[in-house]
Amino acid sequence: MSDKQTAPVWLTGITTTGTPHIGNYVGAIRPGLASSQRTDRKNYYFLADLHALVKSEDPERINRSTLEIAAAWLALGLDTDTTVFYRQSDVPEIPALTWILSSLTAKGLMNRAHAYKAAVAANEENGQSDPDRGITMALFGYPVLMAADILMFHATHVPVGRDQKQHVEMARDIAQRFNHHYGDILTLPEAVISESTATLKGLDGRKMSKSYGNTIPMFEPQKRLRKLIMKIKTNSLEPGEPKDTEDSTLFEMYRAFATEAETAEIAQRYADGIAWGEMKQVLFEKIDAELAPAREEYERLIADPGHVEQVLLQGAEKARAVSAPLLDKVRHAVGLRALKA
Ligand code: TRP
């Protein structure tokens, strides 16, 4: 008998290397909150602090980011009774499973991972004689840790940005290989990419990302939020000149926060030549209206890390009620067993 779960399991993580920004909100947190309201599926959300080690060697930053991202989810009303909400490093079964999965993951599969390939390409472009310069084993094995995150909880659906799709496919490959060899134990996951909200552009028009330093943090004080939005790059068209909605960062951002009817109305105002300054004001008001109600609660939680810590520890307990039995099963399957006559 397989103890695989029958209800769909949705699982996603956010790497704790920075302050949560509106790209995280639109891409992961908002759909996650909507998903958590549904009773026909289980939801697992976690803070990927082991993954953060790959990208940051700044302990204060990782610690602060964990608090901020947790506080963001909670301030927006994540129901931690129905959702399993935890910190990756509080679940020791995950690194244990990572090692076991590493043992059956082809190195060649990891050679094909985009993040690793991009790092090698950057070295080559910079004329480095060693293509692996600065690349750690953790960066190379990143997809295996991510596979453990996913397979640990029998996840069936993994909502991620398009850049992470390959990692979910690798998790699926790894699970298949495991099951083929050791028996039908792991559940095969599938990536869920939402077309409309997959990636938001940042202040400079590139993908909004901590690594580009072009983000708009979710819970900036109102004044700062307005200032940042005023900085978003536009072209030099004058007020009154018709403007193209295509490739307009302001328009895309607006659409991510507005209804279809509101978006159509703004498209019309683009055609009518809305001034960039005015469009920025409209966008500011839109984003502020959605996030302002949670801003105070966010500040309250940031000032009470002890409470957030408690919430995370309770979440880890729930997570471990699932991860510990699965790890037992996996250990047994691969031959890590008690000695018996
Ligand atoms: N790698 C993901 C990112 O950078 C974060 C992440 C870690 C994740 N583990 C995961 C996402 C498991 C989904 C499922 O965005």
Side-chain angles (χ1 to χ4, degrees):
M1 249 295 284
S2 161
D3 67 357
K4 286 186 186 180
Q5 310 203 358
T6 43
V9 175
W10 288 59
L11 174 144
T12 199
I14 299 181
T15 307
T16 56
T17 43
T19 296
H21 54 73
I22 63 170
N24 299 137
Y25 174 68
V26 166
I29 300 177
R30 192 175 57 192
L33 290 165
S35 177
S36 72
Q37 313 263 310
R38 300 181 48 153
T39 51
D40 58 346
R41 56 171 81 143
K42 278 286 308 153
N43 289 283
Y44 289 81
Y45 300 131
F46 68 98
L47 305 153
D49 58 347
L50 296 174
H51 277 107
L53 294 177
V54 175
K55 295 180 183 162
S56 172
E57 291 180 8
D58 180 348
E60 293 311 321
R61 182 180 170 137
I62 290 175
N63 192 248
R64 173 78 189 179
S65 172
T66 303
L67 172 63
E68 289 178 345
I69 296 173
W73 279 103
L74 297 174
L76 288 160
L78 180 70
D79 181 349
T80 55
D81 287 333
T82 54
T83 300
V84 185
F85 182 58
Y86 56 100
R87 173 171 48 200
Q88 187 185 27
S89 66
D90 284 337
V91 182
E93 290 78 15
I94 293 172
L97 180 61
T98 302
W99 181 256
I100 293 172
L101 297 178
S102 289
S103 311
L104 53 104
T105 300
K107 174 176 178 289
L109 183 68
M110 296 298 99
N111 286 343
R112 290 195 286 279
H114 297 317
Y116 171 67
K117 278 184 20 186
V120 171
N123 278 336
E124 280 164 355
E125 256 165 54
N126 298 334
Q128 277 297 337
S129 54
D130 177 5
D132 280 330
R133 189 190 156 95
I135 297 173
T136 60
M137 285 305 295
L139 173 64
F140 188 64
Y142 188 105
V144 189
L145 177 58
M146 190 158 154
D149 289 333
I150 293 169
L151 303 176
M152 192 86 260
F153 298 102
H154 301 284
T156 53
H157 296 78
V158 184
V160 283
R162 201 167 291 123
D163 59 321
Q164 298 291 317
K165 184 166 185 259
Q166 186 195 32
H167 292 152
V168 181
E169 285 161 0
M170 288 175 162
R172 197 182 165 89
D173 282 357
I174 294 169
Q176 243 156 354
R177 193 167 167 137
F178 183 96
N179 286 353
H180 181 72
H181 194 78
Y182 294 111
D184 193 21
I185 293 176
L186 302 175
T187 301
L188 307 188
E190 202 174 290
V192 181
I193 316 280
S194 152
E195 291 305 321
S196 58
T197 57
T199 41
L200 217 53
K201 286 187 191 143
L203 298 175
D204 57 0
R206 293 189 290 172
K207 177 194 168 184
M208 187 177 291
S209 163
K210 298 174 266 232
S211 42
Y212 292 146
N214 63 358
T215 66
I216 299 177
M218 284 173 64
F219 291 118
E220 287 290 84
Q222 211 167 36
K223 265 201 183 143
R224 284 267 314 145
L225 176 65
R226 188 166 180 283
K227 240 192 183 150
L228 276 175
I229 290 173
M230 292 296 157
K231 278 199 208 160
I232 295 172
K233 211 174 118 197
T234 60
N235 58 28
S236 54
L237 289 175
E238 299 287 335
E241 287 187 82
K243 296 174 175 65
D244 206 342
T245 54
E246 194 121 325
D247 283 331
S248 163
T249 305
L250 290 172
F251 182 78
E252 281 179 17
M253 240 179 235
Y254 184 83
R255 183 166 56 190
F257 284 85
T259 63
E260 250 175 66
E262 289 167 331
T263 306
E265 197 188 311
I266 286 294
Q268 184 56 49
R269 293 184 68 187
Y270 265 62
D272 295 343
I274 187 173
W276 288 132
E278 187 173 350
M279 181 55 206
K280 288 176 175 178
Q281 179 65 27
V282 168
L283 177 64
F284 159 69
E285 283 168 16
K286 193 84 208 153
I287 295 180
D288 189 55
E290 187 157 328
L291 293 176
R295 202 179 276 136
E296 246 177 69
E297 178 62 5
Y298 177 79
E299 291 304 337
R300 200 189 67 71
L301 289 165
I302 293 291
D304 189 2
H307 172 72
V308 177
E309 180 68 24
Q310 276 316 306
V311 171
L312 291 178
L313 292 179
Q314 281 164 15
E317 223 171 280
K318 283 202 253 174
R320 295 193 68 194
V322 176
S323 61
L326 180 67
L327 182 65
D328 280 348
K329 227 177 151 181
V330 165
R331 286 177 54 111
H332 188 269
V334 301
L336 305 176
R337 305 174 185 166
L339 303 178
K340 284 194 239 147

